[in-house]
Amino acid sequence: MENLYDLTIIGAGPVGLYAGFYAGMRGMTVKIIEALEEAGGQPQALYPDKMIYDIAGLPEISGAALAENLLTQLARVPHELYLDEKVENISLDDESKEFKLQTDKGTHRSKAVLLTTGSGLLSPRKLNLEGEEELHKLGRINYFIKNLEEYSGKEVAVLGGGDSALDWSLMLEKVAKKVHLVHRRSSFRAHALTVAELEKSTVEVHTPYLPVFLSTNGLVLQRVKSEEIQKLEVEKILVNYGMMTNHVDLNEKIALSRRGRIQSNRQQETNVTGLYVAGDASDYEGKAPLMSVGFGEAVLAINDMTQKLKFSHSLQTGHSSSLFGK
Ligand SMILES: Cc1cc2nc3c(=O)[nH]c(=O)nc-3n(C[C@H](O)[C@H](O)[C@H](O)COP(=O)(O)OP(=O)(O)OC[C@H]3O[C@@H](n4cnc5c(N)ncnc54)[C@H](O)[C@@H]3O)c2cc1C
């Protein structure tokens, strides 16, 4: 059975990552569980290259850089981050007042829970071809680059036509034996500068082609609106077809708002004692689904928990400026 944590945060989007830092700064033992293989939520998964202009103190920052900064801030405090793990159910033991979180990998125990699940589970759009799941298990098909070294000296196909697919191709070009970029349209939906860089690179572009068949040694492509078939022998395939969102009902007792979000009070607590919500997942009169608002909600939730929960160890109070280093 897992150790009992003070706080478990569900969702490592911007709000969950910041909440992890803030709870750690207060001295809570904290764990974050994220379904995706990478942290960062919507800014990292949906718009990594887009600029954000309304985060206080950051005149402009890209989605990916914001996620990276939040991870750097989180690294300042002790915490556990579980990636690629989906929370499926939360239950509260009435006697011990402990939360039990059931995931697709096991169970976790926590005194308090903060839901920062945004608009739901983010998951990569798949190819939907036979054998995809097996090849993913073997590490031959992936939806994220976890470790660039895995591609070193290999022949790789990148599938997709947006900024991220082009960025991945250019990044892989530096380590892979050969990179193929496959897209169903003749033009790319990417920054003109990135397209220009691609044109100067050694990446072999296959447009307009669609993958129609997965074989043991690669892919079979079909030219769009044509019978023409092309075989591509590659050792690894990276799919970049964007993300889908799915709603998961974590506990039937949680009250929802008219908009289908989770209702909370001024302290961000839901109708279940000890279960809090912050960020896009939360709703109340006057709610604005923006990151700066979500960061503040996380602070309100954590400060409320520190008043209400019983801790076996002491918590930190005071401003951050007095808590760390000089
Ligand atoms: C194109 C675009 C541009 C935007 N621009 C701005 C902007 O300029 N400024 C601004 O403030 N906001 C902007 N937003 C909105 C902003 O991205 C969201 O407000 C923000 O991402 C919400 O953060 P969050 O942490 O609450 O949720 P999310 O970012 O949605 O993260 C939630 C995380 O929880 C995970 N999760 C969900 N359910 C589970 C589960 N059961 N188990 C495990 N993990 C789970 C998800 O996989 C996800 O990673 C923009 C949004 C889009 C789409």
Side-chain angles (χ1 to χ4, degrees):
M1 193 68 165
E2 285 278 340
N3 289 336
L4 178 64
Y5 275 67
D6 293 337
L7 174 63
T8 302
I9 297 167
I10 308 178
V15 178
L17 292 175
Y18 179 68
F21 160 73
Y22 196 83
M25 184 186 86
R26 289 277 163 252
M28 296 170 100
T29 53
V30 60
K31 179 188 278 185
I32 309 174
I33 306 174
E34 165 62 48
L36 282 179
E37 291 173 27
E38 63 176 15
Q42 294 178 48
Q44 173 67 32
L46 302 184
Y47 55 101
D49 302 302
K50 243 173 132 56
M51 284 297 172
I52 302 161
Y53 301 94
D54 59 352
I55 307 287
L58 293 171
E60 64 171 44
I61 186 159
S62 70
L66 178 67
E68 201 181 316
N69 277 1
L70 286 161
L71 282 164
T72 306
Q73 193 173 21
L74 176 67
R76 200 179 270 278
V77 299
H79 68 277
E80 295 283 332
L81 176 58
Y82 290 70
L83 296 175
D84 198 15
E85 184 159 346
K86 195 189 305 167
V87 178
E88 290 170 341
N89 184 268
I90 306 169
S91 56
L92 176 64
D93 185 301
D94 287 332
E95 234 168 79
S96 66
K97 299 289 175 217
E98 266 177 44
F99 285 97
K100 191 172 122 195
L101 291 92
Q102 191 62 50
T103 74
D104 56 347
K105 302 231 167 109
T107 51
H108 301 262
R109 294 159 63 219
S110 196
K111 288 185 191 169
V113 172
L114 177 63
L115 300 168
T116 52
T117 45
S119 11
L121 271 179
L122 287 170
S123 54
R125 223 176 271 281
K126 304 273 166 76
L127 277 175
N128 286 328
L129 292 180
E130 209 182 314
E132 182 172 6
E133 195 56 41
E134 289 73 25
L135 289 170
H136 175 53
K137 281 187 192 138
L138 293 172
R140 296 258 328 272
I141 293 189
N142 285 298
Y143 307 92
F144 300 96
I145 301 178
K146 273 201 210 156
N147 176 7
L148 203 57
E149 281 312 303
E150 271 179 41
Y151 299 85
S152 178
K154 303 239 159 71
E155 190 130 356
V156 189
V158 177
L159 312 183
D163 274 307
S164 302
L166 269 68
D167 286 345
W168 284 1
S169 303
L170 293 168
M171 209 158 86
L172 287 162
E173 189 203 8
K174 298 190 181 96
V175 297
K177 185 171 149 202
K178 173 91 193 154
V179 181
H180 301 265
L181 177 61
V182 181
H183 184 41
R184 68 196 156 101
R185 296 186 205 281
S186 301
S187 58
F188 294 104
R189 281 174 293 104
H191 292 304
L193 273 175
T194 319
V195 177
E197 228 183 295
L198 180 77
E199 281 162 2
K200 281 189 271 156
S201 75
T202 61
V203 174
E204 193 172 325
V205 173
H206 305 260
T207 59
Y209 279 93
L210 268 177
V212 285
F213 188 71
L214 291 168
S215 61
T216 42
N217 58 354
L219 274 168
V220 176
L221 307 177
Q222 182 171 6
R223 198 179 168 85
V224 173
K225 293 184 185 152
S226 147
E227 296 295 303
E228 188 199 315
I229 291 287
Q230 188 182 326
K231 279 192 188 145
L232 207 58
E233 283 192 12
V234 288
E235 291 152 278
K236 284 199 170 269
I237 299 168
L238 265 164
V239 183
N240 190 286
Y241 281 179
M243 292 280 160
M244 301 182 297
T245 46
N246 284 313
H247 176 76
V248 181
D249 200 2
L250 293 171
N251 177 316
E252 72 285 353
K253 290 191 190 125
I254 302 174
L256 301 180
S257 69
R258 272 184 293 128
R259 285 182 280 219
R261 304 271 155 147
I262 299 165
Q263 252 177 34
S264 64
N265 63 16
R266 288 290 301 270
Q267 289 75 35
Q268 297 300 132
E269 198 171 17
T270 67
N271 60 318
V272 178
T273 306
L275 182 63
Y276 290 77
V277 60
D280 278 14
S282 85
D283 209 357
Y284 48 83
E285 190 65 37
K287 164 80 186 180
L290 289 170
M291 286 183 273
S292 47
V293 175
F295 296 148
E297 291 166 353
V299 171
L300 291 176
I302 289 156
N303 285 344
D304 195 56
M305 286 170 208
T306 61
Q307 305 292 315
K308 289 187 183 155
L309 294 179
K310 286 197 178 67
F311 296 96
S312 50
H313 54 93
S314 61
L315 292 185
Q316 310 257 32
T317 53
H319 288 136
S320 70
S321 47
S322 339
L323 292 176
F324 297 110
K326 8 179 195 132

